[in-house]
Amino acid sequence: AQSVTQLDSQVPVFEEAPVELRCNYSSSVSVYLFWYVQYPNQGLQLLLKYLSGSTLVKGINGFEAEFNKSQTSFHLRKPSVHISDTAEYFCAVSEQGGSEKLVFGKGTKLTVNP
Amino acid sequence: GAVVSQHPSRVICKSGTSVKIECRSLDFQATTMFWYRQFPKQSLMLMATSNEGSKATYEQGVEKDKFLINHASLTLSTLTVTSAHPEDSSFYICSARHPLSYEQYFGPGTRLTVT
């Protein structure tokens, strides 16, 4: 079974500052990794995903994440955030070659202040 | 891009009644859809996997007789909460798996309030 830990439940930052949202996972098999964003009272939107290949993955809205297998991490980064980036961010994993079920972390609330 | 809709977006029902939530993939056919439940300020918990033309697969601890799932066509899955109680109040989100990319596309969610 897989599990996902998002170490920070809330991350406040100022506009135009860099941000990193941390995600660690646990799995006995190889996994696919995802980051989703959820705006208030809305569903989830995929930011980026790691399936294979380059460990640095670029996504939408200027976000990127790096897969580190030895540290079982998949931290999300953005060099300069905007007010509009304020949202809940979820890290998720699914088992490679498995049922495609997604296991989500508890989420990180990113608040960008002016 | 792939779009998934849910209806209704919000519903209030009385305790003991049943409510049906629809999940539709608007521009692609989805043999597999997923139903999640999200409690306030918490993560999404997978409730069940819905497969077109066959019975849904429920996660451990989810009552299949209470949360009825029907996936009668390649673009529609429904979740019926039967004999709803206040503790069933939650945000229910569906997703549909795209047949080409296998990526899950999420609906906007349904806020259920049981009074």
Side-chain angles (χ1 to χ4, degrees):
Chain A
Q2 295 82 45
S3 67
V4 178
T5 302
Q6 291 184 244
L7 298 167
D8 305 298
S9 60
Q10 297 186 58
V11 174
V13 294
F14 288 109
E15 194 173 16
E16 297 183 6
V19 71
E20 178 180 84
L21 306 183
R22 296 181 292 172
C23 172
N24 288 87
Y25 69 93
S26 174
S27 177
S28 58
V29 300
S30 295
V31 296
Y32 299 130
L33 295 153
F34 307 82
W35 274 100
Y36 289 88
V37 61
Q38 183 181 34
Y39 298 101
N41 294 314
Q42 294 187 27
L44 276 67
Q45 181 181 6
L46 180 66
L47 277 177
L48 48 80
K49 59 186 176 185
Y50 172 79
L51 303 180
S52 64
S54 173
T55 57
L56 182 62
V57 180
K58 294 188 182 297
I60 62 171
N61 301 341
F63 285 93
E64 64 180 33
E66 186 159 16
F67 169 54
N68 187 317
K69 189 173 182 179
S70 62
Q71 297 187 6
T72 60
S73 68
F74 191 55
H75 301 332
L76 181 70
R77 302 185 183 96
K78 185 170 183 178
S80 176
V81 294
H82 302 291
I83 298 286
S84 59
D85 291 323
T86 295
E88 191 86 25
Y89 291 80
F90 292 96
C91 181
V93 302
S94 68
E95 182 180 313
Q96 284 191 23
S99 64
E100 299 155 6
K101 293 191 297 186
L102 287 169
V103 176
F104 286 87
K106 291 188 175 182
T108 297
K109 171 67 175 177
L110 174 65
T111 302
V112 181
N113 299 300
Chain B
V3 179
V4 175
S5 70
Q6 278 184 246
H7 178 80
S9 57
R10 291 176 179 271
V11 58
I12 301 173
C13 70
K14 292 188 176 181
S15 187
T17 63
S18 296
V19 61
K20 180 185 287 187
I21 302 169
E22 293 185 348
C23 177
R24 293 181 185 272
S25 55
L26 298 184
D27 49 4
F28 66 98
Q29 294 182 330
T31 56
T32 303
M33 292 185 175
F34 301 88
W35 286 96
Y36 297 85
R37 183 173 179 176
Q38 185 179 30
F39 291 100
K41 297 185 180 181
Q42 292 193 32
S43 187
L44 283 76
M45 299 297 295
L46 180 64
M47 298 175 66
T49 302
S50 171
N51 297 296
E52 189 267 337
S54 64
K55 292 183 178 180
T57 303
Y58 289 82
E59 295 299 300
Q60 191 173 9
V62 177
E63 299 176 59
K64 62 179 68 177
D65 294 330
K66 180 168 185 62
F67 297 100
L68 301 178
I69 292 172
N70 184 280
H71 194 157
S73 78
L74 288 172
T75 59
L76 173 64
S77 176
T78 61
L79 168 68
T80 301
V81 183
T82 63
S83 187
H85 289 104
E87 56 264 33
D88 298 325
S89 298
S90 193
F91 195 51
Y92 292 87
I93 301 176
C94 73
S95 70
R97 190 187 73 180
H98 196 285
L100 297 179
S101 67
Y102 291 95
E103 182 177 325
Q104 288 188 37
Y105 290 88
F106 286 80
T110 296
R111 175 75 61 194
L112 170 63
T113 303
V114 184
T115 61

